[in-house]
Every structure is written in C-alpha cells, then in structure tokens.
Amino acid sequence: MGSYAREYPLDGFATERELADRVLERLEPWFVVRREVYGTHCFGARLRIDAMLRPRDAHAWRNPDVAFGVEFKVPRLADGLKTYAKWVAQAVDYTYVDWDGYGRRIVLTCPGVIAAMGGYQGTRDGDGDLLVAKRLMGQLGVGELVLRWGYGLTVLVNDGRVWSERGGVGCGKHWNLNIRSGSR
C-alpha cells in the first residue's frame, strides 16, 4: 500500500460523541445521516447503533438500497487487545440486527483496525496480521470508516475502498454490500 492510501489517526477527541459529530458532519454532503438508530437483534434484544448512513445519490452504487451502520469508539491503547476484541464482537453482533427502517446492514467501526491497534508508528503498510484482521472482519460483515491520506474519509470493507470523500464510489460500484450468512 503506497502512502496515498496510508491511514491516519482520527484522534484528539475526548468523547465518542465529539468524534461522531465531527465525522458525521463531514459525511453529510454525500450521505443521509440518521443518528441513534434502534433495531431488534435476532435473539430479541433491542439495540442501538450510533448512526446509519445512506448515500444521497445511489445511482453510482451497484445496490441502490445500500446503507451502513457506524459504531464509534475513542480507542485507548492502554485498554489493550481485550477491549478492541470486544468492540469488534459488538460490531459483529450488530450485523444480526434488523435495524428499524434499514434491515440488516454492514457495520463500520470508526476509527478502524490500525487506529485501534496503535498501528501508526512502527507498523508496515500491508502488515499481514492487520490484513487478516481486516479481511476476517469483512467476512463477518464489519467494515471500517477511516481517514486516508489521499482519499479523506474512506469506507473500507475487506480492505477494499468502497467509497471515499475524494474518490467517490469505488468498490461500491461492483459490490452488492449485503450481509451474508452461511457459505461465503
């Protein structure tokens, strides 16, 4: 991965609310943003996700009904791997929720894997462990909302650039972006 696609931290935010406010404000020209959406998990629990994003202009997307859930966290490296794993598990749980008005959706973590794992300093681009984590998350219906040097805010699924501020719709032109269950 060249420096153009290098991920940078979405840090300097004291609270998740502050991070969500800033990121969602930047996304509003391209997405209809609905905050604090509720839904019913397949086991019956009522859950809430921080936001849902639906493209304002879906004509460039393969799936005109595409939408993404977003779960924000302010990563604290001192919390360690256990906290990160719980956050990813939460995002996976959210892919089994029938969100009111949206159905089941891919869920984006914001920030993404590299930020949560503290991978900005000393991590080589394309680090195998991080790539495996990103691909596994993608197979489980979890993507990332990250900040990339050359693209701005970027939606990644399976480490593929689905959409970005500066590049518009990428893989979203070709990928259905529906939640899958069973054989992949």
Side-chain angles (χ1 to χ4, degrees), residues 42-105:
C42 61
F43 290 139
R46 288 291 288 172
L47 300 175
R48 180 184 55 80
I49 196 165
D50 293 332
M52 279 288 189
L53 307 175
R54 187 179 298 279
R56 290 188 182 278
D57 182 7
H59 82 277
W61 295 79
R62 178 176 175 200
N63 178 358
D65 186 43
V66 69
F68 302 97
V70 184
E71 185 62 22
F72 292 93
K73 291 283 188 240
V74 175
R76 305 206 191 312
L77 296 178
D79 293 344
L81 185 58
K82 180 178 178 182
T83 299
Y84 168 72
K86 287 170 68 174
W87 178 31
V88 172
Q90 176 186 6
V92 171
D93 279 346
Y94 283 0
T95 68
Y96 290 94
V97 172
D98 182 6
W99 298 106
D100 298 348
Y102 294 90
R104 289 181 61 206
R105 297 295 170 171

Side-chain angles (χ1 to χ4, degrees), residues 16-175:
E16 289 174 20
R17 181 67 176 206
E18 187 181 336
L19 170 63
D21 288 347
R22 181 68 57 88
V23 169
L24 294 174
E25 179 182 319
R26 279 182 67 169
L27 293 174
E28 283 183 342
W30 297 280
F31 293 91
V32 174
V33 175
R34 189 166 152 219
R35 295 182 82 142
E36 298 188 355
V37 175
Y38 285 84
T40 305
H41 189 274
C42 61
F43 290 139
R46 288 291 288 172
L47 300 175
R48 180 184 55 80
I49 196 165
D50 293 332
M52 279 288 189
L53 307 175
R54 187 179 298 279
R56 290 188 182 278
D57 182 7
H59 82 277
W61 295 79
R62 178 176 175 200
N63 178 358
D65 186 43
V66 69
F68 302 97
V70 184
E71 185 62 22
F72 292 93
K73 291 283 188 240
V74 175
R76 305 206 191 312
L77 296 178
D79 293 344
L81 185 58
K82 180 178 178 182
T83 299
Y84 168 72
K86 287 170 68 174
W87 178 31
V88 172
Q90 176 186 6
V92 171
D93 279 346
Y94 283 0
T95 68
Y96 290 94
V97 172
D98 182 6
W99 298 106
D100 298 348
Y102 294 90
R104 289 181 61 206
R105 297 295 170 171
I106 288 176
V107 173
L108 308 174
T109 61
C110 183
V113 170
I114 292 175
M117 297 301 292
Y120 296 107
Q121 298 163 332
T123 299
R124 299 180 323 275
D125 287 330
D127 183 310
D129 292 341
L130 292 176
L131 186 55
V132 168
K134 288 171 174 267
R135 295 287 171 97
L136 181 58
M137 286 172 48
Q139 290 299 309
L140 295 171
V142 177
E144 303 170 284
L145 181 55
V146 302
L147 181 61
R148 283 196 161 174
W149 171 254
Y151 297 108
L153 287 174
T154 303
V155 172
L156 299 173
V157 177
N158 272 331
D159 206 32
R161 187 174 47 86
V162 172
W163 175 89
S164 68
E165 279 182 292
R166 295 185 192 125
V169 182
C171 297
K173 293 177 185 175
H174 311 290
W175 295 356

